[in-house]
Amino acid sequence: MRVTLVILAFIASIGVGLAQPNHQAFNVLLKKHVTATGKVNYKGFMADKAQLNAYLTDLKKEYPSARWSEKEKLAFWINTYNAFTIKAIIDHYPLKSITEIKPKDGSETIWKSKFITIGGKKLSLDQIENEILRVEFNEPRIHFAINCASVSCPPLRNEAFTAAKMEAQLTEQARKFFKDTSRNKLSPDHAQLSKIFEWFQTDFTKNGTLIDYINTYSEVKLKRDAKITYISYDWNLNE
């Protein structure tokens, strides 16, 4: 009997370790406080701060491991980036821009501040973006999925990312971003692009030119010799 109990306890402990965050709680909050066009009601998130904090606590429990599929890990890190960005805003609200935040740890920006703890490891938003998402996943569309709480960012999706829907969600984010004339202005001869394509150009040109990448998702097809310029970035809050 004693041996059986030990074995059962061991199996239970493994089961707990395999548990993954339930992104449905974040999904409910996004549906409630983010419009279809990506406008965010930060006052609404503040009213539901307890629910957001409960979701963040769930995210913190375990660092994604090899047991998780690539899509499960990708969904985790995208949702983590977006949820903790929302937390950073409501913890300092009201403000006009995320760039106004002065981290208590003395970091230069909120993106450099290691205010996120996942599985006991302290991380910053910059690390999640540049050391995890951009390095561990060969997926440029993450730039259309993570949101920096600013007007010029690709709109925050009003649903959580999930492994089951990942491909469809990322493709829709990309197509919507190119179609959005407030962020990209495209004609066959001239592409006025978001600064994202200048800052992270290497991510979009691993398998071809930037024009090749744009033509994969844009309804407007660029000529091979189309002129490319970049639009000034608006860091005002996306509310």
Side-chain angles (χ1 to χ4, degrees), residues 172-185:
E172 185 176 32
Q173 288 295 106
R175 288 176 176 165
K176 281 185 174 181
F177 190 55
F178 285 116
K179 195 174 182 178
D180 185 348
T181 55
S182 69
R183 293 172 172 87
N184 297 282
K185 296 177 173 61

Side-chain angles (χ1 to χ4, degrees), residues 17-21 23 58-81 116-121 123 128 132-133 136-137:
L18 289 172
Q20 295 181 24
H23 300 299
D58 200 23
L59 292 177
K60 294 176 182 180
K61 291 178 181 177
E62 183 177 1
Y63 198 93
S65 71
R67 296 191 301 267
W68 298 25
S69 73
E70 288 298 293
K71 288 183 179 179
E72 286 169 341
K73 287 187 281 188
L74 189 54
F76 176 89
W77 288 118
I78 292 173
N79 290 330
T80 296
Y81 187 101
I116 303 164
T117 302
I118 304 295
K121 182 175 181 178
L123 296 166
I128 292 175
I132 298 174
L133 285 168
E136 296 184 13
F137 305 90

